[in-house]
Amino acid sequence: MKKTKIINFYQLKGGVGKTTLTCMIANELIWQDILERQTTPEEPIYVNDPLKVLVLDIDTQNSISVLRDEEIQILQAAATQNEVRFNELIEKKPWQKTLFSRYEHLYSTYGWRCFDEIMINPSESSVQKAIELIQSSEYDYIFMDFPGSYDQQYTGELLLYSEYLFIPCDLNSQLDVAAAQKFLSDILTVEFHNLHHIAFVANKFRVNSIRNKRNQELIEEATEISFLKTKVKYCEYFKTEHLTTVYPRSVDLNLNTKQISVNHHMGSIIELAREIKSLK
Ligand SMILES: Nc1ncnc2c1ncn2[C@@H]1O[C@H](COP(=O)(O)OP(=O)(O)OP(=O)(O)O)[C@@H](O)[C@H]1O
Ligand SMILES: [Mg+2]
């Protein structure tokens, strides 16, 4: 029976990277699992029993669900070779054509399966469904993407199921540093069901900023909670290349040669997935 790990990137402050990190790490864990099972680099393998990862989209803005729906529509139109529909869809977001060619290649060659995603409405029945999934052992990892506010009814209950809670924080932003400390004093009063690990994760990290070290020390001393070792660098690419829910962003695929390599923008995402995997 699988032992599901429940992971949340959570912080009430908006725009700290909860959704971005959730999507990237969820797919990265699956991709790393595929690579680890590959015996030689030349020989891709088809994974029969892939790592199963679920993202519960709890944010009523449902950003992950909206994106996933669009992406699935494009995939389906491509699969049925419904060219009119496909062209119509990619006209709105031309960059998705490349992503889907990549998705297709990973799917047919590596047995790629991206994370599952379920939208959780603020209703008792929807939250109940989420709890059943959390307790079902059907998944290796479940991520919950929460909104940046406490206002949403019912969903607070889901937070109590967090086992690994990571609080994204931009160490270069005095607002984020203050928010991190405030948030932690609130969250420590919460009685979680089974919390294993709580940590800050530096996101949008600027290597050359002199504030980083001082702010990290300040937060760690004030809260007695550490930062994860991995710092996720500030990366313009995250914005310009668009978020996707269907493709592991650490893979760079040359569509002509079908050679894959590591996307150098994603070094800290690869590292962060490894660090999270290694936590007991
Ligand atoms: N490491 C990074 N480098 C550069 N930009 C980043 C990074 N992480 C996140 N961003 C950008 O920051 C913005 C906010 O990210 P995101 O939507 O993931 O935050 P959030 O915490 O989920 O926000 P909300 O509270 O509104 O749900 C996005 O434009 C995203 O591309
Ligand atoms: Mg979000």
Side-chain angles (χ1 to χ4, degrees):
M1 200 163 83
K2 281 177 173 150
K3 171 72 192 86
T4 312
K5 285 184 170 174
I6 316 291
I7 300 179
N8 297 328
F9 291 98
Y10 188 52
Q11 159 65 292
L12 280 180
K13 186 173 181 295
V16 292
K18 300 183 282 291
T19 303
T20 305
L21 295 175
T22 299
C23 291
M24 286 184 180
I25 297 296
N27 274 335
E28 183 58 26
L29 287 169
I30 303 172
W31 180 241
Q32 286 186 10
D33 179 64
I34 290 175
L35 292 184
E36 276 161 19
R37 297 204 227 173
Q38 192 180 14
T39 40
T40 61
E42 301 78 39
E43 219 171 295
I45 57 153
Y46 195 92
V47 176
N48 283 324
D49 181 21
L51 195 81
K52 286 197 75 187
V53 178
L54 172 67
V55 173
L56 297 173
D57 186 12
I58 298 164
D59 191 346
T60 38
Q61 290 173 19
N62 293 125
S63 39
I64 296 180
S65 301
V66 171
L67 188 56
R68 172 58 65 90
D69 279 353
E70 283 176 8
E71 293 182 318
I72 295 294
Q73 273 190 46
I74 292 176
L75 269 185
Q76 281 169 347
T80 56
Q81 295 188 336
N82 182 344
E83 272 186 34
V84 180
R85 181 101 186 95
F86 185 59
N87 289 338
E88 187 192 303
L89 286 164
I90 61 162
E91 227 167 69
K92 287 190 233 154
K93 296 185 175 173
W95 55 273
Q96 292 211 345
K97 191 176 174 186
T98 313
L99 274 183
F100 286 108
S101 315
R102 290 173 175 171
Y103 177 94
E104 279 300 310
H105 178 73
L106 286 196
Y107 175 74
S108 54
T109 313
Y110 290 86
W112 167 251
R113 295 276 197 289
C114 49
F115 63 75
D116 290 347
E117 178 274 333
I118 294 179
M119 187 199 287
I120 302 298
N121 303 315
S123 72
E124 210 168 334
S125 58
S126 191
V127 169
Q128 199 48 44
K129 184 172 128 198
I131 293 174
E132 277 164 27
L133 281 163
I134 286 171
Q135 294 176 332
S136 72
S137 301
E138 213 180 292
Y139 286 91
D140 296 281
Y141 292 94
I142 296 182
F143 289 79
M144 298 192 233
D145 189 36
F146 282 94
S149 82
Y150 277 134
D151 301 342
Q152 207 168 297
Q153 254 197 317
Y154 299 107
T155 49
E157 198 184 329
L158 288 174
L159 186 68
L160 304 181
Y161 289 89
S162 311
E163 293 175 350
Y164 298 82
L165 191 65
F166 304 123
I167 308 160
C169 176
D170 176 355
L171 284 169
N172 197 40
S173 150
Q174 291 309 117
L175 278 178
D176 266 31
V177 171
Q181 296 183 58
K182 163 82 178 71
F183 175 69
L184 203 81
S185 62
D186 293 345
I187 205 89
L188 289 179
T189 63
V190 174
E191 288 187 24
F192 291 96
H193 299 313
N194 194 17
L195 188 67
H196 292 256
H197 199 101
I198 179 165
F200 291 103
V201 54
N203 187 29
K204 308 189 187 184
F205 188 75
R206 285 175 173 81
V207 182
N208 297 322
S209 164
I210 46 162
R211 282 196 206 153
N212 291 333
K213 203 162 170 276
R214 199 179 61 224
N215 280 340
Q216 177 169 344
E217 282 165 5
L218 199 82
I219 295 175
E220 288 184 333
E221 268 167 35
T223 63
E224 296 181 4
I225 301 282
S226 307
F227 273 75
L228 291 180
K229 270 207 265 356
T230 309
K231 314 259 188 271
V232 180
K233 291 199 186 107
Y234 179 85
C235 186
E236 206 53 46
Y237 176 87
F238 284 15
K239 289 187 179 160
T240 53
E241 288 299 307
H242 311 277
L243 189 59
T244 168
T245 73
V246 297
Y247 182 77
R249 299 299 300 278
S250 66
V251 183
D252 224 353
L253 170 69
N254 180 324
L255 288 170
N256 296 321
T257 62
K258 302 291 186 218
Q259 293 289 317
I260 62 166
S261 55
V262 175
N263 180 332
H264 70 275
H265 294 291
M266 291 292 136
S268 43
I269 292 295
I270 297 172
E271 234 178 275
L272 182 60
R274 288 196 184 125
E275 184 174 1
I276 289 175
K277 222 164 34 175
S278 74
L279 294 173
K280 290 283 163 286

